[in-house]
């Protein structure tokens, strides 16, 4: 989703399946606000260094619903396993996470950043 105060959209019925990821440096999974700040500005977007730099505003204008992550194997990750970051007043809903494996050193944090997401997680 994009930062700011205008615009709308829908993110719905997205499936990621049968993926192999090896040696990710940052986030092998990122679902949430756009990671963008225009060069040379303070910007309104999420810092690329989130959650090290704890600034990543969400907004409720774009619902994220019915996202499926199926049969995903991630290994040898370096900084953190992933981010699911949604808005408090318009949370992500209908997520299905099945057979998603994630291993690595995870120097920043051992677990996912997960805020305002309704999900069913199995075999993961």
């Amino acid at each position: 989703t994009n930062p700011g105060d205008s615009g709308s959209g829908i993110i719905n019925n997205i499936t990621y399946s049968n993926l192999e990821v090896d040696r990710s440096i940052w986030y092998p999974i990122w679902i949430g606000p756009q990671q963008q700040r225009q060069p040379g500005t303070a910007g309104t977007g999420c810092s690329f260094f989130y959650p090290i730099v704890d600034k990543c505003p969400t907004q409720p204008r774009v619902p994220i619903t019915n996202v499926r992550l199926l049969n995903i194997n991630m290994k040898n990750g370096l900084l953190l396993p992933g981010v699911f970051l949604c808005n408090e007043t318009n949370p992500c809903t209908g997520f299905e996470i099945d057979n998603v494996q994630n291993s690595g050193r995870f120097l920043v944090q051992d677990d996912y950043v997960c805020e305002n997401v309704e999900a069913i997680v199995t075999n993961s």
Side-chain angles (χ1 to χ4, degrees):
T1 61
N2 197 21
D5 296 323
S6 63
S8 64
I10 297 172
I11 299 171
N12 185 39
N13 290 328
I14 305 293
T15 299
Y16 298 94
S17 64
N18 303 317
L19 299 174
E20 295 284 332
V21 179
D22 190 17
R23 291 185 278 254
S24 64
I25 295 174
W26 279 101
Y27 322 95
I29 296 175
W30 177 280
I31 297 175
Q34 176 177 312
Q35 283 181 285
Q36 177 183 351
R37 286 199 191 162
Q38 296 301 324
T41 70
T44 59
C46 186
S47 169
F48 182 77
F49 296 108
Y50 179 83
I52 298 166
V53 173
D54 193 21
K55 181 182 180 203
C56 193
T58 63
Q59 49 74 24
R61 292 185 321 276
V62 178
I64 303 174
T65 56
N66 303 313
V67 174
R68 300 170 66 214
L69 287 83
L70 310 172
N71 303 314
I72 299 173
N73 184 30
M74 299 165 281
K75 59 185 180 181
N76 302 309
L78 184 59
L79 296 180
L80 70 155
V83 172
F84 296 88
L85 187 58
C86 300
N87 186 267
E88 182 177 6
T89 62
N90 189 11
C92 294
T93 60
F95 276 43
E96 177 186 353
I97 300 167
D98 184 31
N99 194 31
V100 174
Q101 309 302 319
N102 202 340
S103 64
R105 294 184 62 198
F106 304 135
L107 301 174
V108 172
Q109 68 183 57
D110 291 333
D111 206 356
Y112 291 86
V113 172
C114 188
E115 295 182 16
N116 306 307
V117 177
E118 297 171 10
I120 295 173
V121 179
T122 54
N123 303 313
S124 298

